[in-house]
Amino acid sequence: MAVASNDGKYVNQHFGHAQQFLIFDVDLDGAYEFLELRKNVLSCKGGESNENERMETLKIIKDCDAVVVSRIGQGAANFLVSHGIKPYMIPDFIDNALEKLTKD
């Protein structure tokens, strides 16, 4: 699971503005652990999305089943879903967001 956060504590990045993603492994029991930080190329600059840069972001998180962000536009959400990644908007502490997702 990819989490858009600039401080490692809170889900506080819009998908298109995320400078980095924290990658977590989530097991079938709902336990999770931090694996790595992946730097990202912004896919939205000045309110306009760039398809090439969105593809670069996809390459960074393509091995993730889900991405957790503070905000995401409908176009980006549809793009992720079409590539098998579920987007979630949960502006909360990372631990709280992951706990919410693993209990569902």
Side-chain angles (χ1 to χ4, degrees), residues 7-87:
D7 65 6
K9 296 176 186 175
Y10 203 80
V11 180
N12 58 6
Q13 294 279 281
H14 182 286
F15 177 76
H17 300 239
Q19 298 169 340
Q20 63 189 21
F21 290 96
L22 285 70
I23 307 301
F24 290 84
D25 181 43
V26 181
D27 68 22
L28 296 174
D29 296 326
Y32 54 89
E33 75 173 297
F34 173 74
L35 297 178
E36 65 181 314
L37 183 144
R38 297 179 187 170
K39 295 290 184 181
N40 185 40
V41 175
L42 305 185
S43 61
C44 183
K45 297 175 184 168
E48 293 189 25
S49 295
N50 180 305
E51 191 67 24
N52 291 332
E53 289 167 345
R54 193 179 280 174
M55 288 301 293
E56 290 301 313
T57 298
L58 179 64
K59 289 178 189 175
I60 292 167
I61 61 170
K62 69 181 178 184
D63 59 335
C64 298
D65 294 329
V67 63
V68 184
V69 297
S70 63
R71 305 257 323 149
I72 187 168
Q74 191 60 52
N78 293 342
F79 174 81
L80 289 173
V81 169
S82 73
H83 288 89
I85 300 173
K86 295 177 186 172

Side-chain angles (χ1 to χ4, degrees), residues 9-10 32 90 92-102:
K9 296 176 186 175
Y10 203 80
Y32 54 89
I90 308 175
D92 199 344
F93 287 101
I94 292 171
D95 286 336
N96 292 346
L98 292 175
E99 286 176 18
K100 287 176 188 176
L101 289 174
T102 57

